[in-house]
Amino acid sequence: MSVSLGQSVSDFSAPATGDKTIRLSDFKGKQVVIYFYPKDSTPGCTTEGGDFRDRKAAFDEANTVILGVSRDGLRAHENFKAKQEFNFDLISDKDETLCQLFDVIKTKKLYGKEHLGIERSTFLIDDNGKLAREWRGVKVPGHVDEVLEAAQRLNTG
């Protein structure tokens, strides 16, 4: 069952960079941005991650944690994070638990062939663990600014 706007997001536990296990409950009292992206070290995903990296201080000021999620393994995540100097953790969702919770696996077409993949999506969870905003089918340019604005509004609201 996937999460809906205004509903509490189920606590989850997932492996992340820095040899961590991340639990949503670890961030009680903070807002959380979870962004799903298709694949490490691809152009759009590198740009999107870089935009989050470059605005992290503003997200921190808005009491908001950033987490990136894809189905890549931890080794790929560690390399991607180090190479791009990401200042937030990346979660490995190889078993698609989080992908299913947020309903981001969609049929995509590549070179005329259909396959299942992650639809670029971002979710903003409020400081009480409820889903406050969602963006699906994200286009990278300008997206992080929109998410930041929503996080700042939610934090002052």
Side-chain angles (χ1 to χ4, degrees), residues 65-157:
V65 174
I66 302 165
L67 297 170
V69 182
S70 83
R71 298 182 300 181
D72 292 298
L74 285 173
R75 182 176 295 141
H77 273 356
E78 293 289 2
N79 292 340
F80 187 39
K81 182 179 174 179
K83 186 171 182 197
Q84 301 303 326
E85 298 179 0
F86 290 159
N87 44 13
F88 53 86
D89 284 309
L90 299 177
I91 291 174
S92 172
D93 192 32
K94 273 180 153 345
D95 65 2
E96 298 182 1
T97 304
L98 290 181
C99 289
Q100 288 170 9
L101 176 63
F102 288 94
D103 190 28
V104 298
I105 299 288
K106 303 292 177 197
T107 301
K108 300 167 96 178
K109 268 198 166 128
L110 187 66
Y111 306 119
K113 289 196 166 95
E114 288 193 347
H115 69 282
L116 289 176
I118 290 181
E119 176 185 54
R120 191 181 304 279
S121 308
T122 302
F123 301 88
L124 176 60
I125 300 168
D126 72 14
D127 55 6
N128 293 313
K130 288 195 166 100
L131 183 60
R133 286 284 308 269
E134 62 181 15
W135 294 264
R136 293 180 180 274
V138 165
K139 300 287 179 251
V140 173
H143 174 62
V144 171
D145 291 327
E146 197 181 317
V147 175
L148 177 58
E149 202 175 289
Q152 289 166 331
R153 252 197 322 271
L154 188 62
N155 189 45
T156 57

Side-chain angles (χ1 to χ4, degrees), residues 36-62:
F36 288 83
Y37 63 94
K39 189 146 186 56
D40 288 344
S41 304
T42 54
C45 301
T46 300
T47 301
E48 185 179 25
D51 289 348
F52 275 113
R53 174 197 62 217
D54 296 346
R55 290 166 187 73
K56 183 173 183 299
F59 277 100
D60 289 345
E61 278 177 38

